Amino acid sequence: MTRRSLFILFGPALLAGSLAFLLPASPSSEAEGSEGGPDLTVQLTVTPVLPERVVLERELSGRVAAYRRVEIRPQIGGLILDRKVDEGMRVAAGDVLFRIDPAPFDADLRAAEAALTRAEAVAAQARRMLDRSDTLLAKNVVSPEKHDAARNDLVLAAADLAEARAVVQRRRLDLDFATLRSPIDGYVASGLADIGGLATPGGEKPLAVVQDLEKVFVDLQVPAAGLDAILLASEAGLGPVRIMADRDGAEPMAGQLRSSDVIVDPGTGNASVRVEVANPDLALLPGMYVRARLPRGVAEDALLVPEDAVLRRGDGMAQVVVVSDQTKATRRDVRLGDRIGTRILVTSGLMPGERVAIRGQDRVPDGTTLQVTPVAADDLPALPHP
């Protein structure tokens, strides 16, 4: 048994405002149908294309970077006696991360404090000697030269005292540096130094890295030709930047454009743009690849058709099937623009209010116009079982 044509029946939950039409069978199919084959037709479902305001977006790829990243490096050298954190742990600002052996620095501090005590005593003695010299000079008992020498001794003693105080302050700082603390709230990255290791000032590798991930940056490369449109759209508040993580089931995250580079890379012709994204659940991690959709403008009277409505000619030209008020179905060449979700912007070839076929349009032959008959979905015949 041969079939006259393919029959496609869709459920009642179609697009709002859509209509169903029946395309006539071809003459050759009618001859076959008279031999006892089923009289099948094609359902054509259409929907009106109405103008609407849409925000145009540009999709770019980028990498995630930590909002703040701090390398913990020692300012003094010594043996690491203790490590208070592990990889991946969350720390608060001021939390202790490492302790370096404080014994050498404690001894240096004690020596500096002793030198300070000695300098204070010398300065006090020089002050008394100058006061005595002032009294004797008034009675012409001491020569001016000896009085000047006493004054000079006091100046030198005061300088030695100031130096001793500075040394004590420096030794106290060294002792404080033996305890390394986190300067920010964040998460400890991998690559921690181990207990028993040697902390060396100026070393190539930090003892630890702390990253603030409650917010993150997404760094994007934008072609210079499209940078102005993106910046103007951000200033106009057309909407947030949408970040799509490259993970199954990940929901888009809203971001805000924060900065753009003022230099264009001469090799690629791109400028760097940075987007700030709230990241309370740590859905975005540094180094992760993501896609970002940035608003770049507004189309006030855009005509959008479902992507399923678009056909392609042999040369790649886009077409849609338009059903006129006289219920005639015709293929028409159109030009397409941006993809907006599951719909495509039509830039030319359609007029507002025209009806476009969204189901069954591939059965309309190219270059011909067919008369179609509107029917109710309940009046369509059921698809026979094979």
Side-chain angles (χ1 to χ4, degrees):
M1 179 178 61
T2 61
R3 295 188 178 183
R4 297 174 54 192
S5 59
L6 178 64
F7 175 74
I8 306 175
L9 179 61
F10 298 94
L14 295 174
L15 295 177
S18 63
L19 297 175
F21 294 84
L22 290 180
L23 293 181
S26 63
S28 60
S29 298
E30 291 177 359
E32 295 178 5
S34 62
E35 298 177 359
D39 185 10
L40 301 180
T41 55
V42 178
Q43 180 183 353
L44 195 64
T45 306
V46 303
T47 186
V49 180
L50 302 177
E52 56 184 290
R53 181 182 186 273
V54 296
V55 176
L56 303 179
E57 296 179 323
R58 181 157 200 160
E59 183 170 314
L60 300 168
S61 60
R63 294 285 179 181
V64 179
Y67 184 71
R68 288 185 294 178
R69 182 181 185 275
V70 178
E71 294 184 348
I72 307 301
R73 294 181 179 273
Q75 299 190 52
I76 58 172
L79 188 69
I80 300 175
L81 292 183
D82 193 11
R83 190 183 78 184
K84 299 293 186 180
V85 293
D86 294 319
E87 296 175 349
M89 181 181 295
R90 191 182 190 284
V91 295
D95 285 354
V96 175
L97 305 179
F98 297 93
R99 292 190 188 276
I100 298 174
D101 186 3
F105 309 103
D106 184 62
D108 290 343
L109 176 59
R110 291 178 183 275
E113 289 174 340
L116 174 60
T117 300
R118 183 169 55 252
E120 290 173 342
V122 171
Q125 177 64 20
R127 167 57 62 186
R128 289 192 296 270
M129 293 301 294
L130 181 59
D131 291 343
R132 183 172 180 273
S133 180
D134 288 341
T135 302
L136 295 177
L137 182 62
K139 297 179 180 180
N140 292 322
V141 175
V142 68
S143 65
E145 290 79 6
K146 288 186 177 181
H147 182 268
D148 289 342
R151 184 182 299 276
N152 188 59
D153 290 343
L154 178 60
V155 172
L156 293 176
D160 290 341
L161 178 59
E163 182 181 4
R165 287 172 176 166
V167 171
V168 169
Q169 184 178 6
R170 176 61 192 181
R171 296 295 177 252
R172 285 175 179 165
L173 286 175
D174 288 344
L175 187 58
D176 289 340
F177 290 152
T179 301
L180 285 80
R181 302 176 184 273
S182 175
I184 63 171
D185 297 342
Y187 294 85
V188 180
S190 60
L192 286 171
D194 293 324
I195 296 175
L198 187 63
T200 305
E204 294 184 1
K205 185 178 179 181
L207 301 183
V209 174
V210 179
Q211 301 181 101
D212 182 358
L213 303 179
E214 298 300 324
K215 292 187 290 186
V216 294
F217 290 122
V218 176
D219 294 322
L220 308 169
Q221 296 296 315
V222 180
L227 181 60
D228 287 344
I230 290 175
L231 295 179
L232 290 175
S234 177
E235 293 176 1
L238 294 184
V241 180
R242 293 189 295 157
I243 306 297
M244 282 73 67
D246 194 17
R247 300 195 310 193
D248 292 339
E251 293 292 330
M253 304 174 67
Q256 187 68 35
L257 187 66
R258 286 304 180 197
S259 64
S260 63
D261 204 342
V262 295
I263 299 176
V264 175
D265 187 335
T268 63
N270 295 335
S272 297
V273 169
R274 172 160 277 190
V275 177
E276 180 182 317
V277 186
N279 189 38
D281 298 327
L282 302 188
L284 302 177
L285 300 176
M288 184 181 290
Y289 170 86
V290 295
R291 292 171 293 116
R293 292 177 181 170
L294 294 84
R296 64 175 181 84
V298 174
E300 295 294 345
D301 296 312
L303 299 179
L304 300 173
V305 298
E307 58 185 354
D308 291 342
V310 179
L311 302 173
R312 292 287 179 179
R313 296 192 322 196
D315 58 2
M317 184 68 184
Q319 292 183 323
V320 295
V321 171
V322 180
V323 177
S324 69
D325 292 339
Q326 291 76 32
T327 63
K328 291 183 178 180
T330 307
R331 286 199 181 199
R332 185 184 299 175
D333 293 342
V334 293
R335 293 189 180 277
L336 305 179
D338 290 15
R339 183 181 298 273
I340 312 295
T342 59
R343 300 186 296 170
I344 301 177
L345 176 66
V346 177
T347 59
S348 66
L350 276 182
M351 296 296 293
E354 289 188 310
R355 294 177 295 180
V356 173
I358 59 176
R359 294 291 188 273
Q361 68 274 15
D362 56 331
R363 302 294 293 171
V364 177
D366 192 7
T368 62
T369 299
L370 295 180
Q371 186 74 29
V372 296
T373 304
V375 297
D378 294 340
D379 296 335
L380 294 174
L383 181 65
H385 293 288

